[in-house]
DNA sequence: GTCTTCACG
DNA sequence: ACGTACGTGAAGACG
């Protein structure tokens, strides 16, 4: 059966360009759009198995649309040179694939595709159009589907007439009417003012088309809407015309010419080599083997050797420098996971050492501990802690591909070795899930499978380092890795292995008190609800009680029903006494399940400590996160919850807990990077920043700042750090949007430097596609130029927030490295235990209290010199609770 | 697995 | 007109 695939070349290239980091070859040629395009093509060929395929491109000025509307596409920003230069490469790519490409002077890709799909439709061919442009949905028919690219180009969403009906309630051709009414800012199609997607859909569901809407304008509800429609009849008609894809372009391509017999693996591999797509090279070999017409290349078995108890001596000389080493463990939590074996690789050597052999091999132990023997690793913290539980020290970690991969793309969450290998190495690593199985079926495989898997991992590390190093240097993040993240990972390893003591009895006692309170509340809630028991923890069942039986008003909805979140319930409290009981029940229930039961489960039976895992490669901003247990969200705001901290105590008798936190670090960083004179002045004078903000925004003297004014000023300051919007502020303060907008305007009048910086950082993000912190940490913002308002707005707020939050993360990370150095240098017994974003927690012997109270703030405040002082508050006590 | 809620900075 | 504050992780419900 035939399958005709048509690709909108410009649209796909654009999406690929903005979705991927700006990669380039060693010669400096940018390749991210080419790579994205290639990935998409390979995926399409594999999944759709087209018999005919072609790619259409825009060419020249769009003649026929321009004549009708001079502004057409006027609002579209110019194609950046980094993308333009990739179009010739994409053409080369298509030639290498032997895929027909087509362009027609004066026409857009849309029109070429529109014309060809019409032809295919008449022939009743199964046809698929691939594009990122929603307009193309108008081409959908019984034979033609449109696949929209998602998440850049890595995923596609297939639309048939049924799916369009389901999503919009429209026939495919009505997509044109939709655009005619709502317009499209990215193509500068005006539409009717005041009509967005919601209104347009409502009108079309009622009247069916732009023409019918206009003919029945008297019956349309809403005076303003009627007026807008009457005054913009021409605009509506013209917009519809602009949105209509031409289906009779003078295309001289016969569909038969697009027949696709399969690609030429040789031509393609040459091209991939030129582009330095190392990972793709191995992929096409496999495909080639499977296709009948490709020249089957002999699959060379991957060569590695298994070291046995008897042969260790023979391999001792192979332990050189540098080498890649990977430690395979059975499970994710390396505080408990049994070690299965080592993979070790360098040029010409790949070894697998089973754990039973490794732990007895003295030379291997010395090699691991020898700082002069450089090791390249994947997640050195994991290796260090995992081996520390077996009293095996590790030193000389020279490169960590996990951290490097994270820095190169912090928003990508999948920094597994298989994905790193596919991007940066030639050898392929199977996903762990494939090797072990998942869920209940998880099983450690036989030695031959396991050893090959681990050997591949070590080889992948070995092969990835050079490319990763080059890309880091190119993105100016070499020092960020070598001087910050890598040393930090070793500090974190110490903290995780050290652990923090938790008093189980104290928690159990609190748990019993909670149990009895919760039992009382449960009875009380059932009675208030009419006597019938129900599951209070189920938002669904609770919603039925509140909104059906008690007929309370629905203030907010979620996707699945009325919202019962705390902010909604607080507003409902005056209506019914059950609400307060539910809020208390939720609060105490959370304490019991997450902080009493959850935390107790994580206490190590031998040490009475909890050993968290700090994830150093998770967040988009550069912060750490903490899991198993999460020690970065232990309650503090409410007194009942705060008591949990009484259970966190020193691990040695007579010692103290000491906590040190940065005061207003994010606003101080904002003062520094924005250079706002007013904000700088406030911090240099050591003022309370929220009071100062209230004084400036409300125009009153310090004595006249009321607590309400200070509270509102504080919310504005938070909003500023988050990338302010009037809507967000209004939600937070429970005020109208107009009032929130006034606050913001007044804030920007007084802090004009902040306003200017915010505008500039967004502009910079639009230009570069990313933002950076003071230490060059980078975050890509693929949506920053999206035509979708929501996506774009979100990216803009992120552009404002990330340099602030990310620089704060840089600062405390630097402080942690310096702090650990200071502890060692001064021979102190005190230990750093926790990091909570702007706070460090230590356990301190009594005779070091004095020096630590001085040393900790000194080190933290001098971590990075800004043009405002950094300020640190220190407290200590017999538990974390008392260190306040 | 996904959704909702809620704990923290 | 659009419809959110920025960044996380854990637990429970539900399909």
């Amino acid at each position: 059966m035939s399958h005709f695939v048509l690709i909108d070349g410009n649209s796909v290239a654009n999406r690929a360009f903005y979705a991927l980091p700006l990669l380039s070859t060693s010669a400096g040629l940018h390749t991210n759009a080419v790579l994205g395009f290639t990935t998409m093509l390979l995926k399409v060929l594999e999944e759709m198995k087209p018999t005919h395929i072609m790619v259409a491109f825009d060419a020249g000025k769009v003649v026929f649309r321009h004549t009708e509307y001079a502004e057409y596409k006027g609002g579209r920003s110019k194609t950046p040179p980094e993308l333009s230069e990739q179009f010739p490469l994409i053409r080369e790519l298509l030639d290498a694939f032997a895929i027909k490409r087509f362009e027609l002077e004066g026409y857009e890709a849309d029109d070429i595709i529109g014309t060809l799909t019409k032809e295919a439709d008449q022939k009743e061919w199964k046809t698929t159009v691939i594009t990122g442009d929603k307009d193309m949905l108008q081409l959908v028919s019984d034979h033609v589907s449109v696949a929209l690219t998602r998440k850049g180009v890595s995923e596609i969403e297939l639309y048939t007439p049924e799916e369009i009906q389901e999503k919009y309630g429209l026939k495919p051709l009505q997509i044109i009417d939709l655009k005619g009414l709502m317009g499209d800012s990215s193509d500068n199609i005006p539409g009717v003012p005041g009509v967005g997607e919601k209104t347009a859909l409502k009108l079309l569901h009622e009247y069916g088309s732009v023409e019918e809407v206009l003919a029945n304008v008297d019956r349309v509800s809403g005076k303003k809407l009627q007026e807008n429609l009457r005054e913009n009849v021409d605009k509506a008609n013209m917009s519809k015309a602009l949105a209509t894809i031409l289906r009779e372009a003078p295309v001289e391509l016969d569909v038969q010419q697009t027949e696709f017999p399969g690609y030429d693996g040789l031509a393609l591999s040459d091209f991939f080599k030129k582009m330095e797509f190392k990972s793709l090279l191995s992929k096409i070999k496999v495909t080639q083997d499977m296709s009948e017409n490709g020249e089957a290349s002999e699959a060379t078995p991957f060569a590695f050797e298994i070291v046995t108890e008897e042969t260790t001596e023979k391999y001792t000389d192979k332990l050189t420098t540098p080498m890649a080493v990977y430690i395979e463990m059975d499970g994710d939590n390396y505080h408990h996971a049994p070690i299965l074996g080592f993979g070790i690789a360098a040029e010409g050597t790949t070894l697998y050492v089973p754990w039973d052999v490794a732990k007895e091999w003295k030379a291997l132990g010395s090699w691991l501990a020898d700082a002069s023997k450089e090791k390249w690793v994947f997640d050195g913290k994991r290796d260090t802690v995992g081996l520390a539980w077996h009293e095996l020290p590790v030193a000389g970690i020279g490169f960590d591909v996990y951290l490097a991969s994270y820095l190169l793309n912090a928003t990508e969450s999948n920094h597994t070795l298989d994905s790193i290998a596919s991007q940066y190495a030639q050898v392929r690593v199977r996903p762990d899930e494939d090797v072990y199985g998942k869920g209940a079926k998880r099983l450690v495989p036989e030695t031959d499978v396991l050893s090959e898997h681990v050997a591949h991992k070590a080889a992948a590390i070995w092969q990835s380092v050079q490319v990763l190093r080059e890309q880091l240097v190119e993105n100016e993040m070499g020092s960020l890795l070598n001087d910050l993240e890598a040393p930090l990972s070793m500090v974190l390893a110490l903290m995780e292995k050290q652990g923090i003591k938790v008093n189980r009895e104290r928690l159990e006692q609190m748990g019993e008190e909670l149990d009895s309170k919760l039992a009382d509340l449960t009875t009380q809630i059932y009675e208030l609800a009419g006597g019938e028991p129900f599951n209070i923890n189920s938002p669904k069942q609770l919603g039925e009680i509140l909104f059906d039986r008690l007929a309370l008003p629905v203030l907010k909805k979620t996707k699945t029903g009325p919202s019962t979140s705390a902010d909604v319930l607080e507003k409902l409290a005056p209506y019914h006494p059950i609400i307060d009981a539910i809020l208390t029940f939720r609060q105490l229930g959370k304490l019991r399940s997450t902080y009493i039961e959850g935390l107790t489960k994580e206490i190590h039976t031998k040490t009475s400590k909890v050993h968290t895992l700090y994830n150093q490669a998770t967040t988009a901003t550069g912060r750490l996160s903490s899991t198993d247990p999460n020690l970065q969200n232990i309650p503090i705001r409410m007194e009942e919850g705060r008591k949990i901290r009484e259970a966190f105590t020193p691990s040695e008798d007579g010692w103290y807990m000491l906590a040190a936190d940065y005061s207003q670090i994010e606003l101080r960083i904002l003062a520094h990077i924005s250079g706002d004179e007013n904000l700088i002045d406030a911090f240099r004078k050591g003022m309370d920043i929220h009071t100062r903000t209230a004084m400036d925004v409300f125009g009153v003297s310090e004595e006249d700042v009321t607590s309400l004014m200070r509270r509102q000023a504080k919310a504005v300051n938070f909003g500023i750090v988050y990338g302010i919007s009037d809507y967000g502020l209004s939600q937070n303060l429970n005020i109208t949007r107009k009032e929130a907008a006034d606050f913001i305007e007044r804030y920007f009048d007084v802090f004009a430097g902040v306003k200017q910086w915010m505008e500039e950082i967004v502009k910079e993000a639009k230009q570069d596609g990313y933002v950076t912190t003071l230490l060059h940490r980078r975050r890509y913002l693929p949506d920053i130029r999206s035509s979708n308002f929501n996506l774009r707005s979100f990216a803009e707020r992120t552009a404002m927030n990330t340099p602030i939050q990310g620089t704060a993360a840089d600062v405390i990370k630097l402080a942690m490295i310096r702090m650990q150095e200071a502890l060692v240098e001064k021979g102190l017994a005190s230990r750093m235990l926790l990091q909570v974003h702007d706070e460090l927690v230590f356990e301190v012997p009594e005779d070091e209290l004095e020096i630590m109270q001085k040393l900790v703030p000194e080190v933290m405040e001098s971590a990075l010199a800004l043009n405002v002082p950094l300020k640190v508050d220190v407290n200590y006590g017999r538990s974390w609770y008392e260190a306040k």
Side-chain angles (χ1 to χ4, degrees):
Chain A
M1 172 147 148
S2 303
H3 186 181
F4 187 21
V5 169
L6 299 108
I7 296 170
D8 181 344
N10 291 75
S11 170
V12 171
N14 255 289
R15 292 191 70 99
F17 178 74
Y18 289 111
L20 271 61
L22 197 56
L23 308 168
S24 43
T25 63
S26 39
L29 205 58
H30 294 111
T31 56
N32 61 335
V34 187
L35 179 62
F37 210 108
T38 312
T39 318
M40 182 277 301
L41 271 179
L42 286 170
K43 196 171 162 135
V44 164
L45 293 182
E46 189 183 317
E47 289 179 7
M48 299 188 175
K49 305 208 183 325
T51 53
H52 297 69
I53 183 167
M54 63 95 63
V55 180
F57 289 100
D58 301 347
K61 299 239 183 271
V62 186
V63 183
F64 73 100
R65 281 195 178 87
H66 268 267
T67 49
E68 291 173 44
Y69 182 46
E71 309 272 308
Y72 180 66
K73 300 230 158 154
R76 184 172 283 188
S77 34
K78 253 185 82 192
T79 309
E82 291 85 355
L83 175 56
S84 315
E85 71 186 42
Q86 294 187 57
F87 276 102
L89 297 174
I90 292 174
R91 296 201 171 86
E92 241 181 89
L93 168 78
L94 295 171
D95 292 346
F97 263 110
I99 290 175
K100 273 271 181 310
R101 50 191 170 80
F102 199 79
E103 52 196 59
L104 190 60
E105 186 66 22
Y107 292 87
E108 297 195 313
D110 301 17
D111 305 312
I112 298 172
I113 291 175
T115 306
L116 289 172
T117 49
K118 188 178 168 190
E119 204 175 310
D121 204 14
Q122 282 161 0
K123 289 184 178 152
E124 301 195 357
W125 277 21
K126 181 180 173 190
T127 302
T128 307
V129 175
I130 293 164
T131 178
D133 185 354
K134 275 195 186 144
D135 279 14
M136 301 278 263
L137 292 177
Q138 64 186 270
L139 301 179
V140 169
S141 71
D142 287 344
H143 304 108
V144 179
S145 312
V146 168
L148 291 182
T149 54
R150 297 266 144 217
K151 284 194 186 169
V153 290
S154 60
E155 281 173 29
I156 48 183
E157 192 178 2
L158 202 65
Y159 281 87
T160 60
E162 290 73 35
E163 267 116 21
I164 294 175
Q165 182 66 36
E166 197 176 307
K167 189 149 180 197
Y168 297 100
L170 299 178
K171 298 259 176 296
L173 279 175
Q174 288 178 296
I175 295 290
I176 307 172
D177 297 277
L178 183 65
K179 290 280 165 179
L181 290 171
M182 67 183 275
D184 184 343
S185 56
S186 70
D187 279 351
N188 218 25
I189 297 178
V192 177
V195 176
E197 184 174 303
K198 285 257 167 69
T199 314
L201 283 174
K202 205 181 95 214
L203 290 170
L204 290 177
H205 292 158
E206 199 161 348
Y207 304 104
S209 70
V210 169
E211 291 75 14
E212 283 301 306
V213 170
L214 295 175
N216 290 289
V217 70
D218 297 339
R219 288 168 43 209
V220 169
S221 62
K223 207 169 145 228
K224 186 74 197 162
L225 180 57
Q226 274 197 13
E227 194 183 310
N228 279 334
L229 287 166
R230 281 210 187 83
E231 283 172 10
N232 295 285
V233 172
D234 289 351
K235 258 193 187 166
N237 285 322
M238 180 186 67
S239 297
K240 180 171 176 177
L242 285 174
T244 306
I245 292 173
L246 185 73
R247 310 205 63 173
E248 272 148 14
V251 176
E252 286 175 30
L253 178 82
D254 184 340
V255 170
Q256 296 296 352
Q257 293 169 11
T258 67
E259 191 168 346
F260 181 69
Y263 56 80
D264 172 0
L266 279 180
L268 205 51
S269 75
D270 280 350
F271 180 74
F272 286 177
K273 275 180 198 146
K274 181 174 152 192
M275 292 291 101
E276 299 175 10
F277 294 161
K278 296 186 178 174
S279 60
L280 291 178
L281 272 173
S282 50
K283 269 188 198 160
I284 54 160
K285 272 190 199 130
V286 174
T287 322
Q288 211 179 312
D289 286 342
M290 294 187 309
S291 68
E292 319 90 299
N293 54 348
E295 286 166 55
S297 60
E298 196 70 23
T300 42
F302 184 82
F304 67 97
E305 295 165 78
I306 298 180
V307 180
T308 63
E309 222 173 302
E310 295 77 32
T311 56
T312 50
E313 240 170 78
K314 179 177 138 200
Y315 290 101
T316 298
D317 287 350
K318 301 253 181 186
L319 299 174
T320 57
T321 176
M323 282 200 117
V325 52
Y326 184 84
I327 300 168
E328 184 79 0
M329 301 187 201
D330 181 15
D332 293 328
N333 190 324
Y334 46 77
H335 292 298
H336 313 286
I339 298 177
L340 300 172
F342 286 55
I344 300 175
E347 209 58 57
T349 311
T350 308
L351 306 177
Y352 175 71
V353 193
W355 172 236
D356 285 341
V357 176
K359 69 181 177 199
E360 306 297 336
W361 186 6
K362 293 271 164 27
L364 178 65
S366 320
W367 179 81
L368 284 168
D370 185 346
S372 72
K373 301 283 190 284
E374 186 177 338
K375 287 112 200 153
W376 295 349
V377 299
F378 170 88
D379 195 356
K381 171 162 71 70
R382 172 180 170 282
D383 298 342
T384 306
V385 177
L387 290 176
W389 284 104
H390 298 275
E391 278 81 40
L392 279 177
V394 179
I397 292 177
F399 196 90
D400 191 328
V401 298
Y402 180 56
L403 297 176
S405 167
Y406 167 64
L407 290 181
L408 285 174
N409 193 355
T411 34
E412 172 64 59
S413 52
N414 187 32
H415 301 283
T416 53
L417 200 37
D418 61 278
S419 86
I420 290 173
S422 74
Q423 280 173 273
Y424 305 103
Q426 299 83 48
V427 66
R428 291 221 283 166
V429 174
R430 295 167 64 192
D432 279 334
E433 215 171 72
D434 287 4
V435 177
Y436 287 87
K438 60 176 171 179
K441 283 189 228 148
R442 196 191 142 86
L443 194 74
V444 177
E446 296 297 313
T447 308
D448 53 342
V449 174
L450 181 68
S451 57
E452 182 176 53
H453 183 53
V454 178
H456 279 140
K457 285 184 174 180
I461 294 170
W462 177 256
Q463 292 171 2
S464 302
V465 169
Q466 200 188 336
V467 189
L468 285 164
R469 261 199 189 128
E470 284 164 11
Q471 292 197 10
L472 279 168
V473 169
E474 191 180 328
N475 291 358
E476 299 175 300
M477 289 192 285
S479 167
L480 186 62
L481 178 68
N482 294 325
D483 305 328
L484 193 91
E485 299 294 353
L488 178 74
S489 71
M490 294 299 107
V491 175
L492 293 171
L494 283 173
M495 294 164 66
E496 292 178 358
K497 177 64 178 36
Q498 180 59 45
I500 181 166
K501 178 88 173 273
V502 173
N503 184 333
R504 180 191 293 267
E505 290 71 34
R506 184 82 195 85
L507 284 183
E508 277 167 2
Q509 185 194 336
M510 285 159 64
E512 279 164 30
E513 285 165 27
L514 282 176
D515 284 343
S516 99
K517 283 186 188 168
L518 279 163
D520 289 350
L521 278 168
T522 307
T523 346
Q524 205 184 326
I525 289 169
Y526 291 162
E527 275 170 26
L528 287 165
E532 288 296 302
F534 66 100
N535 187 344
I536 309 169
N537 279 323
S538 160
K540 197 176 154 209
Q541 294 183 36
L542 182 62
E544 281 164 22
I545 298 285
L546 296 183
F547 305 111
D548 295 341
R549 190 184 300 205
L550 302 178
L552 297 174
V554 175
L555 301 181
K556 198 166 97 181
K557 282 185 175 173
T558 68
K559 279 180 213 164
T560 49
S563 168
T564 67
S565 63
D567 61 319
V568 173
L569 293 187
E570 272 157 31
K571 292 188 179 118
L572 292 174
Y575 292 94
H576 201 284
I578 197 174
I579 301 293
D580 277 325
I582 291 166
L583 283 166
T584 314
F585 178 91
R586 283 249 182 97
Q587 203 189 7
L588 301 185
K590 176 89 177 178
L591 290 179
R592 179 171 66 176
S593 65
T594 305
Y595 297 104
I596 303 287
E597 289 169 5
L599 198 54
T600 307
K601 277 187 214 132
E602 298 288 344
I603 300 176
H604 229 260
T605 37
K606 277 196 184 150
T607 58
S608 293
K609 290 175 172 181
V610 289
H611 301 268
T612 190
L613 304 172
Y614 284 107
N615 200 328
Q616 207 180 338
T618 293
T619 71
T621 54
R623 276 188 176 181
L624 301 176
S625 80
S626 155
T627 60
D628 305 303
N630 180 352
L631 294 180
Q632 292 183 319
N633 71 347
I634 303 300
I636 191 167
R637 292 174 191 166
M638 296 295 193
E639 181 56 27
E640 298 97 307
R642 192 173 193 157
K643 289 234 163 9
I644 300 280
R645 294 178 177 227
E646 288 175 350
F648 288 81
T649 62
S651 65
E652 315 257 0
D653 289 343
W655 286 34
Y656 287 82
M657 301 299 281
L658 181 144
D661 67 292
Y662 281 108
S663 160
Q664 304 298 346
I665 187 169
E666 293 188 335
L667 286 172
R668 287 171 199 266
I669 284 166
L670 175 62
H672 176 87
I673 56 184
S674 71
D676 182 280
E677 286 170 20
N678 202 19
L679 201 53
I680 291 173
D681 179 67
F683 281 122
R684 287 195 180 153
K685 289 191 173 134
M687 296 178 77
D688 174 309
I689 192 61
H690 303 316
T691 304
R692 167 67 181 255
T693 306
M695 288 161 61
D696 289 345
V697 168
F698 297 106
V700 296
S701 66
E702 188 161 0
E703 306 80 61
D704 293 335
V705 173
T706 63
S707 63
L708 174 68
M709 284 155 83
R710 188 178 179 281
R711 190 174 74 83
Q712 293 187 322
K714 187 175 174 180
V716 173
N717 278 329
F718 266 100
I720 291 292
V721 170
Y722 293 157
I724 198 142
S725 75
D726 50 9
Y727 185 86
L729 184 63
S730 74
Q731 288 296 301
N732 190 287
L733 281 177
N734 242 325
I735 57 177
T736 67
R737 236 172 94 167
K738 178 78 178 66
E739 288 166 327
D742 285 347
F743 278 161
I744 295 168
E745 197 185 322
R746 275 187 278 170
Y747 180 94
F748 280 142
D749 282 347
V750 198
F751 298 99
V754 173
K755 183 181 184 187
Q756 198 187 344
W757 176 76
M758 299 222 146
E759 287 165 359
E760 273 163 16
I761 193 75
V762 168
K763 205 173 135 200
E764 193 183 309
K766 283 192 183 167
Q767 193 185 313
D768 301 339
Y770 62 86
V771 289
T772 57
T773 67
L774 274 188
L775 298 192
H776 299 172
R777 185 186 304 282
R778 190 179 279 210
R779 177 176 184 176
Y780 291 95
L781 300 166
D783 295 328
I784 194 79
R785 297 170 64 175
S786 166
S787 57
N788 178 315
F789 176 88
N790 282 328
L791 291 179
R792 189 179 63 247
S793 303
F794 187 51
E796 287 171 357
R797 290 196 296 275
T798 312
M800 300 184 248
N801 171 263
T802 296
I804 303 173
Q805 192 184 121
T807 301
D810 294 349
V811 169
I812 194 165
K813 284 177 166 180
L814 211 48
M816 292 169 76
I817 296 167
R818 302 268 167 83
M819 198 59 233
Q820 183 57 37
E821 283 169 357
L823 290 177
V824 172
E825 192 184 304
K826 296 185 187 300
L828 295 171
S830 297
R831 302 167 185 138
M832 187 162 29
L833 301 180
L834 300 177
Q835 189 251 44
V836 193
H837 310 308
D838 65 352
E839 174 188 14
L840 296 176
V841 179
F842 301 82
E843 57 183 6
V844 178
E846 186 157 14
D847 63 357
E848 289 180 11
L849 266 181
E850 204 176 324
I851 179 167
M852 285 292 280
Q853 276 190 88
K854 201 162 154 288
L855 178 66
V856 174
E858 252 174 37
V859 170
M860 289 172 74
E861 286 171 358
S862 63
L864 194 64
L866 305 181
N867 60 17
V868 291
L870 286 174
K871 185 165 166 273
V872 169
D873 297 317
V874 191
N875 296 287
Y876 66 92
R878 288 294 185 181
S879 69
W880 194 7
Y881 178 87
E882 285 179 25
K884 63 175 179 186

